[in-house]
Amino acid sequence: MFPGMPKLALFPRMRFTRQVLLLQIGVVVLVVGLGVALVAWLLRTTLTEQYGERALAIAKSVAADPVVIAGAAARQQGGPLQTRAQAVTKANEVLFVVITDDQGIRLAHPDPGSIGDRVSTSAKEALSGQDVVSAVQEGTLGLSVRSKTPIEQGDRVVGEVSVGFTVTELTGDVNRLIELTSLFAGGALLLGAGASALLNRRLRRVTHGLEPQELTELLYEREAVLHGIGEGVLALDAQQRVTVRNDEAERLLGTALPVGTPLAELDLSPRLQMAVAEGVPVDNLLAVAGNRVLVINSRAVRREERPLGTVLTFRDRTDLDTLTRELDGIRSLSDGLRAQRHEFANRLHTLSGLLQLGHHAEAEEYLQTLTETTGARAEPPGDQIADPYLRALLAAKSEQAQEKGMELRLADDSWVPAAVTDPVAAGTVIGNLVDNALHAARLGPRRPAAVEIGLLADGDTLHVSVVDSGPGVPEPLREKLFDEGVSTKLAPGHGLGLALARQAARAHDGEVWLADPGGGASGALFVAKLPGLLSTLEVP
């Protein structure tokens, strides 16, 4: 390789799917080859044993012949023994039948010239009275599979018979069996290679032709994108099971989102559940999760007209809603100040005109009237409420009610001597209940429009009751009044106040409910129970 030249220039990297295919084919070839070798060995061993057993059976039949026993005992060379040996050799198509005396001297042999010589292979075991089976030995007639058995006359061994088959015959049988086995092995090899090719094709289709390193990079990119953005992401499969989610989604929804869990089993907003169940794209849907207001967008994912699932994104709109409410309050205050400025200017002009015309008595009477009118301001809560947060909240709501020509009263039996431990939760519950009551009272037929709020401490539990002079809650809305998006207001973006109030109460193991829908002699009555929201010590 030349210096500085990259290795891939000369040896391009092979695709992973091709590597898998070659590896699978190699494994199949190796397994088939080992299988054929094992079968060949087993076949050769089995055939060798079979030829040995056959040779032993022939040898025993010869050794049991009385003529052979008598000839071996008399050590007669040739003659009847040679005739018998040649007849058995021809009849059984064996390589040789050799008969010896008790000293290993040949009495019968296929080669008459070898009669009288000592056998070329050991006859010790046979002459000691033992059978020799399947011995592959090299003799004067060549390599053969032979078996030997003793010739016994009474209790005395008088000789031995040796019968052998040529190895060439054994090898031919083995080769024929191996050829047949090889045909099956070849078919198995082709089948394995075809299955490997199909598996390789399936792998390419499942991975869309991507290499492992590309899949790894996609995984890293997905994790970086999921956990690097400021929005919550939740992906569901076609059966609405969680497949992908990031930490921001779990934080915003306030619950764990284990992968593989059906969406219906998760404690999520009913609005979110309905948005996914309908299967249609959703844009900027407002939903409540804990004390948060979330903006939800969902999109159905399809590939080749096959539904793959749904992807949802979440944005936290709680801070935006807080700023919006503060801006509305500032705008209302600005409008009020502007109106007061115009009114004050008009009064000054009137007073200036009276003084210029010399009507001093009328001017003094006019000033007295202005003083009395200006003093009719909203009264702050008395000593019934000790907590500064509650006092400030009630004072602000009283000012707001007075600006709209309504009255916000504190019930006579209200009594909260302790401090609030969670001002945000108290403000969420009380503020939303009072805002809804003021809206209902303003739309109601009764005048003057009024709202009465009752606050009562019971240990560390704060009880809240809010009743208005409005028309009451309509029958169709009573069962679903606390659901997200349910509101009597016509403008969009409403229907979250009561849901937020209930979520904040339940976060403290409390509850908010409609105690009396009203409609006849009075308006609706809402009640809240907030355990653990008060300190056990009184405010000094």
Side-chain angles (χ1 to χ4, degrees):
M1 180 179 294
F2 297 102
M5 179 177 292
K7 184 182 296 185
L8 292 178
L10 292 180
F11 302 100
R13 185 171 183 173
M14 186 181 298
R15 293 183 62 85
F16 177 74
T17 52
R18 185 167 298 176
Q19 294 179 24
V20 172
L21 176 61
L22 294 179
L23 178 62
Q24 291 171 338
I25 293 177
V27 170
V28 171
V29 171
L30 178 62
V31 170
V32 170
L34 291 175
V36 171
L38 178 63
V39 169
W41 178 77
L42 291 175
L43 288 175
R44 187 175 187 87
T45 302
T46 302
L47 287 177
T48 299
E49 292 176 356
Q50 291 178 353
Y51 272 91
E53 292 292 341
R54 182 181 173 187
L56 180 62
I58 296 173
K60 283 185 174 293
S61 66
V62 173
D65 190 340
V67 175
V68 174
I69 295 174
R75 297 178 178 175
Q76 298 176 357
Q77 297 181 359
L81 295 180
Q82 180 72 3
T83 302
R84 292 298 179 89
Q86 289 179 349
V88 172
T89 300
K90 184 177 181 181
N92 293 278
E93 298 181 351
V94 296
L95 177 63
F96 62 83
V97 175
V98 176
I99 303 174
T100 70
D101 59 13
D102 57 353
Q103 300 298 320
I105 303 301
R106 299 185 182 115
L107 302 179
H109 192 274
D111 181 11
S114 298
I115 295 176
D117 297 336
R118 184 175 295 278
V119 294
S120 59
T121 58
S122 175
K124 182 178 179 181
E125 293 182 5
L127 295 177
S128 64
Q130 299 177 5
D131 293 331
V132 178
V133 185
S134 302
V136 180
Q137 296 177 334
E138 180 77 29
T140 57
L141 299 177
L143 188 64
S144 62
V145 178
R146 62 187 66 188
S147 295
K148 301 176 183 180
T149 188
I151 302 174
E152 296 178 348
Q153 188 179 47
D155 296 333
R156 186 171 65 92
V157 176
V158 296
E160 60 93 11
V161 178
S162 177
V163 179
F165 288 91
T166 178
V167 174
T168 303
E169 184 176 356
L170 172 65
T171 303
D173 292 341
V174 171
N175 290 339
R176 284 190 295 272
L177 292 176
I178 290 178
E179 289 176 0
L180 182 61
T181 304
S182 298
L183 292 178
F184 287 98
L189 179 60
L190 292 177
L191 181 62
S196 299
L198 291 176
L199 180 61
N200 181 263
R201 182 179 178 183
R202 170 68 177 170
L203 180 62
R204 286 199 306 269
R205 186 166 60 252
V206 169
T207 60
H208 300 286
L210 295 177
E211 293 295 301
Q213 65 273 12
E214 295 174 334
L215 293 174
T216 303
E217 292 174 0
L218 285 177
L219 176 62
Y220 291 156
E221 292 174 0
R222 191 199 73 166
E223 292 298 316
V225 171
L226 279 179
H227 300 286
I229 62 177
E231 295 185 355
V233 177
L234 174 63
L236 309 172
D237 61 12
Q239 287 72 40
Q240 297 187 9
R241 295 189 298 259
V242 176
T243 56
V244 177
R245 81 280 185 271
N246 61 358
D247 298 336
E248 186 68 9
E250 293 185 334
R251 185 185 72 83
L252 292 177
L253 294 175
T255 183
L257 303 172
V259 174
T261 305
L263 186 68
E265 298 180 5
L266 299 175
D267 184 17
L268 299 179
S269 165
R271 261 192 166 186
L272 190 150
Q273 301 272 11
M274 291 177 58
V276 176
E278 292 174 357
V280 296
V282 174
D283 293 315
N284 300 327
L285 174 68
L286 297 181
V288 175
N291 292 327
R292 301 179 184 276
V293 178
L294 303 181
V295 180
I296 302 176
N297 292 275
S298 71
R299 291 292 183 273
V301 181
R302 293 179 174 272
R303 180 179 176 83
E304 297 178 355
E305 300 302 324
R306 182 168 62 94
L308 300 180
T310 307
V311 177
L312 300 99
T313 58
F314 310 94
R315 295 196 309 274
D316 191 356
R317 219 189 77 166
T318 306
D319 297 336
L320 179 59
D321 283 352
T322 302
L323 292 176
T324 302
R325 287 195 296 268
E326 292 180 358
L327 180 60
D328 291 340
I330 294 174
R331 184 180 293 111
S332 299
L333 178 60
S334 176
D335 293 340
L337 291 175
R338 187 179 300 110
Q340 290 179 6
R341 180 175 63 83
H342 285 291
E343 183 181 359
F344 187 68
N346 293 332
R347 292 173 179 178
L348 287 180
H349 291 159
T350 303
L351 182 60
S352 175
L354 290 174
L355 291 175
Q356 289 178 5
L357 295 175
H359 299 293
H360 299 285
E362 288 80 356
E364 183 178 353
E365 182 182 357
Y366 184 66
L367 281 175
Q368 183 65 30
T369 303
L370 289 180
T371 303
E372 293 175 357
T373 304
T374 306
R377 305 292 296 175
E379 292 292 336
D383 295 336
Q384 299 164 283
I385 308 299
D387 182 77
Y389 293 104
L390 292 180
R391 293 172 62 87
L393 177 62
L394 292 176
K397 294 301 179 183
S398 297
E399 288 285 346
Q400 181 181 353
Q402 191 175 46
E403 289 177 2
K404 296 179 180 180
M406 294 182 290
E407 180 184 2
L408 176 63
R409 299 188 298 263
L410 182 63
D412 295 336
D413 58 351
S414 296
W415 181 71
V416 181
V420 174
T421 58
D422 191 348
V424 176
T428 300
V429 175
I430 299 174
N432 281 295
L433 291 180
V434 170
D435 287 342
N436 284 349
L438 290 174
H439 176 74
R442 185 169 59 87
L443 297 179
R446 300 178 183 89
R447 292 294 180 269
V451 173
E452 183 177 275
I453 178 172
L455 301 175
L456 183 63
D458 180 13
D460 63 350
T461 301
L462 177 63
H463 296 272
V464 182
S465 63
V466 179
V467 60
D468 59 69
S469 62
V473 179
E475 179 69 28
L477 297 181
R478 294 176 185 177
E479 296 296 329
K480 54 182 180 179
L481 191 60
F482 290 91
D483 293 346
E484 303 163 19
V486 177
S487 175
T488 58
K489 301 174 184 178
L490 299 179
H494 296 286
L496 298 177
L498 290 178
L500 280 172
R502 173 169 280 184
Q503 290 280 3
R506 289 180 175 177
H508 289 269
D509 296 327
E511 187 57 84
V512 178
W513 67 94
L514 176 63
D516 184 359
S522 65
L525 171 61
F526 286 87
V527 178
K529 180 181 179 181
L530 305 173
L533 202 67
L534 297 178
S535 173
T536 56
L537 300 177
E538 294 186 358
V539 178

